[in-house]
Amino acid sequence: MISISVCMIVKNEEDRLDTCLKSLKPIADEIIVVDTGSEDSTKEIAARYTDKIYDYEWTGSFSDARNYAFSLASCDYIYSADADEELDSENIEKFIRLKENLDTDIDIVQMYYCNQLQNNTIYSFDRELRPKLYKRLRTFTWEETIHEAVRLNPIVYDSDIDIIHRPGEGHAARDLKAFERLISSGQALSERLTEIYCKELYIAGNKENYLNAKAFVAGLADSEGLSKDQIVRVFAIGSRICRLTGDIQGFIKYVTRAAAGEMMSSEICCELGAYFDECGDKNEAALWYYNAMHETEAYLDIRSKEEIPGKFLGKSQS
């Protein structure tokens, strides 16, 4: 049977931590809690389950904190947990069976993250696979009978374990401020982080966030070398920023560029629907909401494909 180190980074999690650790205790051989500056009873709650509690001075990087937590682990595999997760009894049993039977050639085990669509999260599915269990020390293996080479790609196993995600509140406001600090400091965002930033802006941004992001998004729209999907996302968030900050000229620019380049999306159609609705033209608004639902695909917010246009169309037909 493999051994498992549960590694967590926490801050002010007194409302959730006990439930989380209680559900993880049956599967953990050691629990490592890295606290990044709690001012509540987080560490006292953690002490009910482990004596491996460490203080870590926050650097502004979640990766730095997780790397530190992982460096403290000593078991065969590391389970990366958040305080707003829990396992129910059925999935605890599944996890125990996984421990008993896991092939140690496997480097990463994925599990289903559930409850994704609560609190304006950026995810498009309520249940999706995520890498959660990692082999602590990876062995490199030579492969092929001739032209031999070291296997570099990890062996990934998709389990049937469901992790219940119960966020007390969304993290978008915190994340958007972090993105703004990165951009203002001159740091370039990777393609992955740019996509996440656009999603969080579209789903949970406010007027201040939009004004702070306006120049960054305009720069992206005028840059070269972007993929079609990247451009569609940029035009979508650009149209939203301009509509909600009253920049109608900018709004028209993003929408017409998307239409001319055959890069319309459900999000842009919803923005057009909202614009015409605000102008009092319900028929034109209905046309664009219909296009959002039936003629285009969502790139930033899955709700723009069905839920948002569906609400308007339902009301207009009743």
Side-chain angles (χ1 to χ4, degrees):
M1 180 189 296
I2 64 165
S3 59
I4 293 178
S5 301
V6 169
C7 289
M8 308 179 67
I9 58 173
V10 297
K11 182 179 179 181
N12 295 334
E13 297 287 1
E14 65 179 8
D15 293 336
R16 307 177 182 88
L17 188 59
D18 187 72
T19 299
C20 174
L21 290 176
K22 186 181 297 182
S23 74
L24 293 178
K25 186 176 176 60
I27 63 96
D29 296 282
E30 69 174 353
I31 297 175
I32 294 167
V33 176
V34 171
D35 189 275
T36 62
S38 292
E39 298 172 340
D40 60 7
S41 61
T42 291
K43 289 197 286 186
E44 288 81 358
I45 294 169
R48 301 173 193 167
Y49 297 91
T50 181
D51 60 356
K52 296 183 178 181
I53 302 168
Y54 302 86
D55 291 314
Y56 181 79
E57 185 174 351
W58 181 244
T59 67
S61 168
F62 285 94
S63 291
D64 288 349
R66 289 207 189 274
N67 285 333
Y68 176 66
F70 272 35
S71 75
L72 301 169
S74 62
C75 293
D76 302 324
Y77 283 79
I78 299 172
Y79 179 77
S80 180
D82 291 322
D84 56 7
E85 301 172 6
E86 64 180 275
L87 295 168
D88 61 19
S89 58
E90 178 184 355
N91 286 286
I92 290 171
E93 291 301 318
K94 288 181 181 179
F95 211 134
I96 291 171
R97 289 197 296 272
L98 177 75
K99 284 186 67 175
E100 293 171 343
N101 297 293
L102 186 67
D103 185 334
T104 54
D105 283 342
I106 291 171
D107 299 303
I108 297 172
V109 178
Q110 297 202 114
M111 300 174 188
Y112 284 98
Y113 218 58
C114 304
N115 254 19
Q116 288 287 80
L117 298 182
Q118 287 192 359
N119 294 307
N120 285 335
T121 58
I122 64 172
Y123 303 101
S124 298
F125 303 96
D126 203 45
R127 181 176 183 264
E128 66 177 353
L129 282 169
R130 280 192 184 186
K132 293 294 292 180
L133 187 67
Y134 304 85
K135 193 171 186 178
R136 186 173 66 86
L137 297 176
R138 187 176 172 196
T139 303
F140 289 97
T141 304
W142 289 90
E143 294 184 325
E144 311 296 355
T145 54
I146 60 173
H147 297 297
E148 68 281 359
V150 170
R151 186 185 72 229
L152 298 178
N153 294 328
I155 298 177
V156 179
Y157 171 67
D158 295 342
S159 75
D160 62 350
I161 296 171
D162 286 342
I163 300 165
I164 302 169
H165 186 210
R166 300 191 190 279
E169 58 185 14
H171 296 154
R174 176 200 69 190
D175 292 347
L176 288 169
K177 288 297 182 185
F179 278 120
E180 290 165 8
R181 288 193 295 270
L182 283 173
I183 293 168
S184 64
S185 69
Q187 294 190 49
L189 299 186
S190 66
E191 180 178 339
R192 173 178 170 271
L193 284 184
T194 299
E195 178 181 352
I196 292 173
Y197 185 33
C198 289
K199 284 185 175 182
E200 290 201 296
L201 275 171
Y202 192 90
I203 294 170
N206 57 32
K207 189 172 183 178
E208 180 185 358
N209 298 136
Y210 297 146
L211 290 171
N212 290 337
K214 195 170 184 180
F216 174 78
V217 173
L220 283 177
D222 293 331
S223 61
E224 298 180 355
L226 299 183
S227 68
K228 180 179 178 179
D229 283 359
Q230 289 175 284
I231 296 171
V232 174
R233 287 193 288 267
V234 169
F235 286 170
I237 187 56
S239 67
R240 185 170 185 80
I241 287 172
C242 290
R243 182 179 70 81
L244 293 178
T245 58
D247 181 2
I248 301 306
Q249 181 178 347
F251 174 68
I252 293 171
K253 181 182 76 171
Y254 282 114
V255 169
T256 54
R257 287 175 70 178
E262 297 184 351
M263 295 184 182
M264 294 295 283
S265 64
S266 296
E267 290 87 356
I268 292 179
C269 290
C270 282
E271 293 305 313
L272 282 163
Y275 171 74
F276 284 110
D277 185 24
E278 291 164 358
C279 293
D281 191 340
K282 302 294 185 183
N283 289 334
E284 190 69 16
L287 171 66
W288 286 108
Y289 279 122
Y290 178 90
N291 285 331
M293 181 176 280
H294 298 289
E295 303 296 335
T296 51
E297 298 298 328
Y299 286 77
L300 294 174
D301 184 357
I302 191 65
R303 296 174 302 171
S304 66
K305 175 67 176 173
E306 294 185 2
E307 180 182 336
I308 294 171
K311 284 182 178 179
F312 180 88
L313 295 172
K315 289 179 181 178
S316 64
Q317 293 168 2
S318 59

